Amino acid sequence: MNALDFVRAYFYGNNIRSWKDMRDSNIYDKLSETVKTFNINMSFEEYIDIVNKQIEFEKLNSVSTFGEGMNNTAQLPKSQRSSWVMYRDRLSKQWSSRSINNLEQSAYEVLRYLTTTSEGGPHKGLVVGNVQSGKTANMTALIAMAADNGFNVFIVLSGMIENLRKQNAKRIYNDLVADGSGDNHWKYYENLSVRTGFQAGSIQLGSGSWEKHLIFSLKNSKRIRSLLNWLRHDRNKQKKMKVLLIDDEADQASINTKDVNGNERTVINSLITNIVNDNGYGAMNYVSYTATPFANVLNESGEDTLYPKNFITLLKPGENYIGPKQIFGLGDPKFERGMENIVNEISEEESGYIRQCQKDEVCFNAPKSMRKAVDWFLIALSAMRSQGYKKPVSMMIHTDFKVQSHALVEQVVQNYLASLRESYKENSETFLNKMHEEYDERRSELSKETFNSVMKDYYGEVQEYPKWKCVKKELDKLFRLPRRGFAHHIEMSDEGEFNYTDGIHLCVDNSAAKDGDSNQVRLVYPSKERDKATAFIVIGGNTLSRGLTIEGLVSTYFLRRTSQADTLMQMGRWFGYRQNYELMPRIWMDKDALDNYEFLTEMNEDMRRKLMEYAEQGFTPREVPLRIKQIPSYINVKITADNKMQSAQATDFNFEGMNYQSTLFANNERVMKENLKHTQKLLESLGNFQEIRSHMVWKNVPNEKVEDYLEKYQGVNLDKKISSIPHILEWLEENGNKMEKWNVVLVGKGKIRDAGSDEWNINGKTVDAVRRSAVDDERDELINIRALLSPQDLTSDIEDISDMPEEAKKSNVDAIASYRRYKNVDKFPQLLIYRIDKDSKAIGDTKRRKDLNAPYDLIGVNILLPESSKRNDSRDGVEYVAVKLEDYGDDRNFDSENEEDYQ
């Protein structure tokens, strides 16, 4: 063992709450004496260095928990026959070692917040993942580790859709059992009921038993009531149950949508709370999982609720995860030009046409955007087949929640596929040339180089697009199939087995889809790989929007309006892992949906940053509620359904610790000239500057100068944050938080040099302007650059950044904020000023970007306010909402597989 091993052993063996608590000379004194007996010398400076590196590692590498501390002495399993090690070994055949380590750390973190006794009542926690980011793997890892540490009963409430429940149950059980040779002997149950004759009294729960009992239940009132009765049937047995209850998709059905101030509860919520709050177990832990936790933290709190009072854990997705940030961009103008071009816009005319036809229930011809989406699916399928891809390849079409609309769309797709086949038969060369043009058009949207620039930590080699001749060969084979074999439902044999072909399998997945005698209408993927990738076009509504993984998703046609942020985010089935077909996925959506996703990406990242901040500050969910950013009125979306956020109230975040950047500019020559003049006047009045990495930096600038400048700075009314800055500074001053001194930075590019006679300058010195292109929208009176700040600019007032951590170098905002605290510059408000080159060009072949083409350089500002050492959670505000903490139609016309039908 080395010194690090001893330090880590002490931390985990003594249930230390935080690595920060290890910065204690008394702990060092104990450890230094211990390590000397092993001939290891460790100075106090070396000890602190070890602790600091562990703090940095814990913070940046996997998981943040906003909770009240560790509650058990659980150990990380090491035995080769333990359930966790066997599961980890299986994952090693598919995952990188880094991803497995992250999974291990995050599952172990949650495990240590669980209780192993009945003292203090049930423990309730929430695990927040990302959409399509591997939450099931984390659940499985947690179950495996808990089993290895003595837990014996595991209940998984697995969504509201039966085929998804079966899919998840089969996956978790198979992953846990491994090859059957492990220490734990897993017993699997579903639809448990006292009436079945199988009683709880017959299961083995003694301390010497290796039996582990895995129970799956649909979130259906009848099934959960039966489970409740089964658990309580033998009270003596119940006392021996150390229970881990996992609520998958916990913001669905589990939420109490009745009046939370009254005594009524929805049926499912009441049944789950009755199971969880029963004090008859040896131990009870309720752990909810979701990617959209807004309802879970905004609806209600109190001992009798499911509010996650003990902990909230944030999972970090693996390095290969492609999420909303990677597609829709966030914050950094360099990063923001990443994979946004894989999103193709459905015109207002076409979206209106489809909606009207669906409303009138009349069949329609596939508009151009839908034709292109289907074409790309066929091309991508052929390209992947040419590269030897053997797993399923899918297209998803989601245009409406109405069941009859799905049938219409299926007919539209069938008609278009038939027309393609006819075109091929009439003149295959002309047809394939057209497909070649489509292939080149889509390839120009995302190059391998662009992908790698966005996914800097990607594990594994990204395949280039195959040559057209290889794609053409597979397309030829596809269109030569007989008519019956070209496009059809999944066929079933007389024995009820599914038969898959090399053609296109059309699936309509909704609550009304019925399975016929000879075909399967709903989506079912092959249980084994075939010699050639199996193709699916999946059309549906709510059943596609949560829980279901669309395998090999390369083409998404999305035309669905919703008023709820959580629902909209859950619909993003295109997020996830895309190994071996990274460059293939494409999305078609209308402008409203695109704008909403861009805002929701910021909202989601803001929520995750808040959670990490609370974790770092050592808060608990009982002390401070998780604040959720209010959606501005000009975005036609709300956080979640009103009956899911009944206890939400406005809460003030004091404006501190916030980052404000100007992204909208008036397309007005006078305004541009005025901003340039006022900026030059301010900076020249500040005297000598420091030159720090191409930036002009002035420190300890009096507050009055900055306030005067910001009052004169001309933004636009729509840029509400920037236009409200003078009011925010006034508010801070009124509340005793006046900003005394500022750090002011002119962000530059290249080297600071003597200015030419006709150049914009500061007392004879100048630096090249930064470049920011504009968004190609229809508002002539505005210039929208969408992102001004590059996160590393936040370090421009730090002279020596040689010790900057790797995560901060990668523009990780949270790592940069932590680094600013480490360098003791976080107490100063920061004003970053950007002179934006009027001739900035759009980089690459972007569809949503254009040259800036302004008559004068633009002036943009970014304002970073310091965090307060004390928070006041009682004042009213408008920026955020949080839960109030207690003391401690026609069913035939709609897709009925939604939570209201199960309550």
Side-chain angles (χ1 to χ4, degrees), residues 133-152:
S133 66
K135 295 190 301 296
T136 303
N138 189 274
M139 293 178 204
T140 307
L142 177 61
I143 291 171
M145 289 183 187
D148 293 332
N149 278 277
F151 288 76
N152 51 27

Side-chain angles (χ1 to χ4, degrees), residues 552-827:
L553 181 60
V554 295
S555 181
T556 299
Y557 196 81
F558 185 80
L559 191 65
R560 167 74 186 272
R561 287 180 177 168
T562 178
S563 62
Q564 294 167 203
D566 49 5
T567 302
L568 192 62
M569 194 61 80
Q570 286 284 358
M571 288 176 176
R573 299 293 99 188
W574 50 84
F575 304 135
Y577 297 93
R578 305 289 179 237
Q579 273 88 348
N580 300 318
Y581 63 102
E582 293 88 346
L583 303 181
M584 296 299 177
R586 297 292 184 276
I587 306 164
W588 280 260
M589 63 173 59
D590 67 352
K591 188 176 187 303
D592 285 345
L594 179 56
D595 289 344
N596 286 342
Y597 272 108
E598 287 174 345
F599 175 79
L600 292 179
T601 300
E602 296 178 19
M603 174 187 168
N604 190 56
E605 289 300 310
D606 181 86
M607 179 268 295
R608 297 173 73 84
R609 283 196 292 269
K610 292 290 175 295
L611 204 157
M612 285 188 277
E613 177 190 334
Y614 293 176
E616 186 176 340
Q617 296 296 328
F619 296 140
T620 78
R622 292 196 227 206
E623 297 170 338
V624 178
L626 180 60
R627 294 170 173 86
I628 305 298
K629 190 175 185 180
Q630 280 275 38
I631 298 174
S633 58
Y634 58 86
I635 299 289
N636 189 28
V637 176
K638 55 187 176 184
I639 294 173
T640 186
D642 290 336
N643 60 4
K644 286 186 173 183
M645 52 182 290
Q646 296 180 61
S647 293
Q649 58 183 10
T651 181
D652 173 44
F653 199 65
N654 297 346
F655 305 108
E656 297 164 304
M658 300 300 293
N659 215 19
Y660 301 85
Q661 59 176 309
S662 53
T663 58
L664 296 176
F665 302 86
N667 195 2
N668 180 295
E669 292 189 22
R670 182 190 61 79
V671 170
M672 295 176 192
K673 290 170 69 175
E674 286 293 306
N675 280 339
L676 281 165
K677 182 182 77 173
H678 287 311
T679 301
Q680 185 178 36
K681 183 178 179 181
L682 166 72
L683 298 182
E684 289 191 333
S685 74
L686 301 183
N688 295 330
F689 59 84
Q690 283 182 264
E691 181 176 346
I692 302 178
R693 298 182 301 282
S694 302
H695 311 307
M696 296 183 184
V697 181
W698 294 264
K699 295 186 178 180
N700 298 312
V701 175
N703 181 64
E704 290 72 20
K705 284 183 175 288
V706 175
E707 279 189 344
D708 180 66
Y709 172 73
L710 292 175
E711 285 175 2
K712 292 175 180 175
Y713 177 80
Q714 296 184 53
V716 298
N717 289 334
L718 277 177
D719 207 341
K720 296 183 184 301
K721 282 191 173 181
I722 290 299
S723 60
S724 66
I725 283 294
H727 305 295
I728 291 173
L729 296 178
E730 180 182 348
W731 182 93
L732 288 169
E733 187 168 349
E734 288 174 357
N735 286 273
N737 289 314
K738 181 179 180 180
M739 304 296 171
E740 297 292 346
K741 301 289 185 179
W742 289 66
N743 287 349
V744 176
V745 180
L746 176 64
V747 178
K749 182 183 175 189
K751 292 183 178 181
I752 297 173
R753 51 185 169 76
D754 293 332
S757 59
D758 59 345
E759 287 188 287
W760 188 85
N761 68 88
I762 306 301
N763 294 326
K765 296 290 185 179
T766 193
V767 67
D768 289 344
V770 300
R771 295 175 183 174
R772 302 288 187 268
S773 61
V775 174
D776 191 6
D777 63 20
E778 299 171 355
R779 296 179 292 185
D780 293 334
E781 73 280 7
L782 290 178
I783 297 173
N784 182 4
I785 64 171
R786 184 161 290 126
L788 172 71
L789 173 76
S790 193
Q792 282 206 22
D793 296 343
L794 295 173
T795 67
S796 56
D797 52 354
I798 302 174
E799 294 162 46
D800 179 11
I801 59 171
S802 60
D803 56 350
M804 184 188 292
E806 286 301 314
E807 285 296 313
K809 292 177 182 177
K810 295 172 185 174
S811 295
N812 181 305
V813 174
D814 306 298
I816 291 171
S818 176
Y819 185 60
R820 285 186 64 81
R821 286 192 289 273
Y822 173 72
K823 300 294 279 190
N824 295 317
V825 296
D826 59 310
K827 299 295 185 282

Side-chain angles (χ1 to χ4, degrees), residues 227-235 238 274-275 278 281:
L227 172 62
L228 172 62
N229 292 334
W230 185 87
L231 290 166
R232 289 177 170 178
H233 188 65
D234 187 329
R235 288 292 192 174
Q238 187 183 358
N274 283 339
I275 291 176
D278 188 327
Y281 303 98

